[in-house]
């Protein structure tokens, strides 16, 4: 039996599902009305689809309404999708914009309160409370990670250290000297910190007080979780969110670690078939779609996240009745098609991390010399492996190649680098470099 911690918002998080659904319907009707009357983008989308706010009589009716996609937000950059005048907006964030124009999101005072509330639920899910010292290594700035974890820490009354990303050795000193008990970071940066802890000659069990960590903002596998838990001596919780919906706090694991509970009173989830757009039943994997139920400044209807996962609705051991989403299996747009075969970066990570001789830092390159897709993986050797010399490395490359070919059904080059041979990142790691369009 998993640990039991107090649920932050007992009334909502353990509400009987039929009551929760009533609340969701009422809020969804308000949202539909709000976007139709205030946001020209939605007026156009609704009219195009021939629907009116009054058509939403049940939760199932949502399927009649149009989707919103990232391009809609870009086309109305920066503030077109806002449902309030700018003077009512108290905070603005944006996504990194690595795949195009920035996506902008805004919050009213009340939106900020709700964000703090859902982040408090996140912390409480992992037993974090007043008295904890939270080492927040998510980036501060336009990215929602840093500030989201920051306001949630205040909401639960804990002490927060706004370290942000970077200056890694100093972070280790801070963790040790300030007695950090909770670590919040991207999983890839957590590994960088683990490395720095080892480099400083510290034993995380004895020299650090870390107890739990909340890791998210990028995909990570269960093998990565084991690695982080072992090397930092803490219990790792997966947390999910996206700037468009609110930032971190959309969902989080509980101590049962069997999926991430969604704050369903604020964010209504659907799973759809990504090609037909048809809604899929619980327990069937597909693309995750969200409708915000309480956002004032930036309400979104049926927003297609491109993330692939599955929803489960049965009650959890922890007592929560809100649905659980499975660990993100990747994005519908991060699937690589290599010579016609679908390959997900998470499959590659699973294979790489099954070799104890390798360290969990890697980059996947895709090239197309002469009309032929070529997949190459660069991964780091552990210190021990590297010191065994060239022949052992060559032999190891052969084994990894074989392991990948068996898992992916497509051949893949493997290049084992020296320790620290792969660039570290302080935020979200770049794991795939697709050079085919270049
Ligand atoms: P940015 O675009 O600036 O990187 P976002 O907050 O918009 O920031 O990124 C959200 C995306 O990050 C999600 O749609 C999802 O693909 C990914 N993500 C967030 N949390 C997780 C998680 N726990 N596991 C896997 N992917 C995640
Ligand atoms: Zn649970």
């Amino acid at each position: 039996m998993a640990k039991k911690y107090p649920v932050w918002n007992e009334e909502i998080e353990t509400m009987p599902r039929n009551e929760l659904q009533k609340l969701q319907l009422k809020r969804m009707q308000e949202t539909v009305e709000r976007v139709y009357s205030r946001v020209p983008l939605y007026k156009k989308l609704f009219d195009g689809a021939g629907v009116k706010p009054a058509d939403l009589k049940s939760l199932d009716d949502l399927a009649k309404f149009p989707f919103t996609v990232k391009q809609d937000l870009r086309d109305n950059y920066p503030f077109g999708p806002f449902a309030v005048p700018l003077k009512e907006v108290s905070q603005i964030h944006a996504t990194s914009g690595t795949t195009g124009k920035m996506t902008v999101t805004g919050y009213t005072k009340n939106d900020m309160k709700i964000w703090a509330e859902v982040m408090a639920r996140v912390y409480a899910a992992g037993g974090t409370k007043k008295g904890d010292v939270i080492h927040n290594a998510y980036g501060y700035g336009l990215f929602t990670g840093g500030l989201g974890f920051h306001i949630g820490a205040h909401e639960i009354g804990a002490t927060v250290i706004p370290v942000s990303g970077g200056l890694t050795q100093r972070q280790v000193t801070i963790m040790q000297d300030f007695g950090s008990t909770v670590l919040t970071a991207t999983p890839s940066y957590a590994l960088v910190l683990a490395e720095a802890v080892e480099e400083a000659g510290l034993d995380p069990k004895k020299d650090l007080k870390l107890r739990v960590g909340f890791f998210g903002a990028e995909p990570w596998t269960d093998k990565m979780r084991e690695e982080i838990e072992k090397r930092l001596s803490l219990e790792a919780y997966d947390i999910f969110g996206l700037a468009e919906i609110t930032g971190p706090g959309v969902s989080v694991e509980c101590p049962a670690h069997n999926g991430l509970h969604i704050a369903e009173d604020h964010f209504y989830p659907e799973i759809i078939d990504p090609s037909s757009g048809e809604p899929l039943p619980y327990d069937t994997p597909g693309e995750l779609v969200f409708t915000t139920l309480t956002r004032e400044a930036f309400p979104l209807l049926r927003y297609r996240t491109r993330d692939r996962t599955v929803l489960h609705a049965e009650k959890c051991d922890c007592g929560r009745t809100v649905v659980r989403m499975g660990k993100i299996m990747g994005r519908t747009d991060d699937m690589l098609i290599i010579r016609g075969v679908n390959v997900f970066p998470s499959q590659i990570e699973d294979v790489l991390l099954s070799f104890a001789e390798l360290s969990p830092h890697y980059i996947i390159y895709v090239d197309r010399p002469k009309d032929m897709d070529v997949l190459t993986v660069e991964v780091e050797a552990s210190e021990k492996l590297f010191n065994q010399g060239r022949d052992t490395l060559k032999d190891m490359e052969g084994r990894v190649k074989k392991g990948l070919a068996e898992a992916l059904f497509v051949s893949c080059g493997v290049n084992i680098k020296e320790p620290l041979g792969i660039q570290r990142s302080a935020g979200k790691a770049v794991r795939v470099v697709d050079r085919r369009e270049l």
Side-chain angles (χ1 to χ4, degrees):
M1 181 67 197
K3 295 185 200 74
K4 278 262 187 239
Y5 297 124
V7 173
W8 181 259
N9 190 333
E10 187 101 38
E11 190 199 334
I12 291 286
E13 293 178 84
T14 64
M15 192 179 251
R17 286 202 65 77
N18 58 347
E19 275 178 48
L20 177 67
Q21 282 158 353
K22 270 190 219 146
L23 178 69
Q24 287 176 317
L25 179 60
K26 184 175 154 273
R27 291 180 171 178
M28 195 183 282
Q29 286 166 332
E30 285 163 8
T31 300
V32 167
E33 185 58 57
R34 185 178 188 83
V35 296
Y36 188 72
S37 61
R38 295 181 178 224
V39 185
L41 159 70
Y42 281 106
K43 170 100 179 47
K44 214 166 109 195
L45 284 173
F46 280 33
D47 291 349
V51 286
K52 288 257 170 329
D55 295 337
L56 191 90
K57 298 194 176 71
S58 72
L59 290 174
D60 289 340
D61 287 337
L62 185 63
K64 298 177 188 153
F65 286 77
F67 292 112
T68 317
V69 296
K70 208 175 184 95
Q71 193 58 41
D72 294 322
L73 308 180
R74 290 197 172 133
D75 291 346
N76 293 278
Y77 171 90
F79 304 141
F82 285 10
V84 295
L86 195 57
K87 66 174 194 292
E88 299 302 327
V89 174
S90 65
Q91 194 158 312
I92 292 171
H93 280 276
T95 65
S96 52
T98 34
T99 58
K101 213 182 236 172
M102 277 185 287
T103 310
V104 180
T105 171
Y107 309 74
T108 62
K109 256 190 175 160
N110 197 51
D111 292 335
M112 289 303 295
K113 269 196 201 135
I114 288 168
W115 191 13
E117 148 79 20
V118 295
M119 279 309 296
R121 294 184 199 173
V122 165
Y123 279 124
T128 310
K129 52 186 186 303
K130 189 176 172 89
D132 270 310
V133 177
I134 299 171
H135 186 102
N136 186 13
Y138 282 102
Y140 279 67
L142 279 181
F143 173 52
T144 51
L147 281 151
F149 277 89
H150 189 93
I151 58 175
H154 287 319
E155 188 71 14
I156 60 165
T159 307
V160 61
I161 315 172
V163 227
S164 198
L167 297 179
T168 306
Q169 276 308 337
R170 193 185 70 163
Q171 299 227 3
V172 175
T173 307
I174 290 172
M175 278 197 273
Q176 194 180 12
D177 295 351
F178 298 9
S180 310
T181 58
V182 177
L183 174 64
T184 59
T186 58
S188 52
Y189 194 59
L191 278 177
V192 174
L193 285 168
E195 241 167 28
V197 166
E198 286 150 22
E199 217 168 273
L202 300 179
D203 174 351
K205 273 208 192 75
K206 289 200 220 107
D207 302 320
L208 300 180
K209 291 194 182 140
L210 293 177
R211 196 180 73 245
V212 293
F214 296 92
F215 307 110
E218 65 186 8
W220 55 308
T221 57
D222 278 329
K223 289 223 169 68
M224 184 81 100
R225 179 206 301 270
E226 282 167 31
E227 186 85 24
I228 294 172
E229 290 191 326
K230 190 176 73 199
R231 291 171 65 182
L232 285 171
S233 180
L234 50 72
E235 185 178 354
Y237 286 78
D238 192 1
I239 157 142
F240 170 86
L242 61 164
E244 293 90 321
I245 299 306
T246 210
V250 172
S251 67
V252 69
E253 283 180 337
C254 69
H257 296 288
N258 59 358
L260 293 79
H261 289 286
I262 297 177
E264 256 192 303
D265 52 328
H266 298 295
F267 319 115
Y268 183 84
E270 292 175 87
I271 293 286
I272 60 157
D273 176 331
S275 38
S276 69
E278 283 305 309
L280 296 172
Y282 289 133
D283 308 312
T284 311
E287 181 183 335
L288 183 62
V289 170
F290 278 110
T291 296
T292 63
L293 298 178
T294 49
R295 276 304 283 274
E296 291 177 342
F298 192 65
L300 283 179
L301 209 71
R302 306 194 82 201
Y303 183 69
R304 292 187 63 159
T305 65
R306 304 278 163 196
D307 292 314
R308 292 185 314 119
T309 185
V310 55
L311 296 178
H312 303 292
E314 70 279 12
K315 187 171 169 182
C316 180
D317 281 350
C318 71
R320 288 176 181 80
T321 49
V322 287
V323 295
R324 280 170 291 131
M325 53 179 255
K327 216 170 171 36
I328 296 285
M329 301 175 217
R331 295 174 51 82
T332 56
D333 51 5
D334 78 2
M335 184 181 79
L336 296 165
I337 303 181
I338 306 296
R339 305 195 285 277
V341 180
N342 299 350
V343 172
F344 288 98
S346 57
Q347 292 175 293
I348 297 178
E349 181 173 307
D350 260 333
V351 173
L352 296 179
L353 266 62
S354 67
F355 290 95
E357 299 91 334
L358 300 177
S359 86
H361 300 279
Y362 65 91
I363 301 189
I364 300 162
Y365 291 98
V366 194
D367 294 284
R368 182 179 282 157
K370 297 194 221 123
D371 296 332
M372 171 84 157
D373 298 328
V374 176
L375 190 63
T376 317
V377 175
E378 286 188 351
V379 58
E380 265 179 41
S382 66
E383 202 72 56
K384 195 164 149 227
L385 173 70
F386 196 71
N387 291 337
Q388 286 168 5
R390 253 187 74 96
D391 289 349
T392 317
L393 280 182
K394 277 271 157 274
D395 181 59
M396 187 69 206
E397 280 176 355
R399 284 169 55 204
V400 178
K401 228 173 137 151
K402 187 156 168 270
L404 285 170
E406 278 165 10
L408 308 177
F409 302 110
V410 65
S411 67
C412 170
V414 174
N415 195 344
I416 300 185
K417 312 278 284 184
E418 73 282 5
L420 297 178
I422 303 267
Q423 197 179 349
R424 303 293 188 262
S425 100
K428 297 194 186 207
V430 176
R431 303 254 198 237
V432 181
V433 181
D434 193 335
R435 296 186 281 214
R436 283 177 294 187
E437 283 102 354
L438 300 181

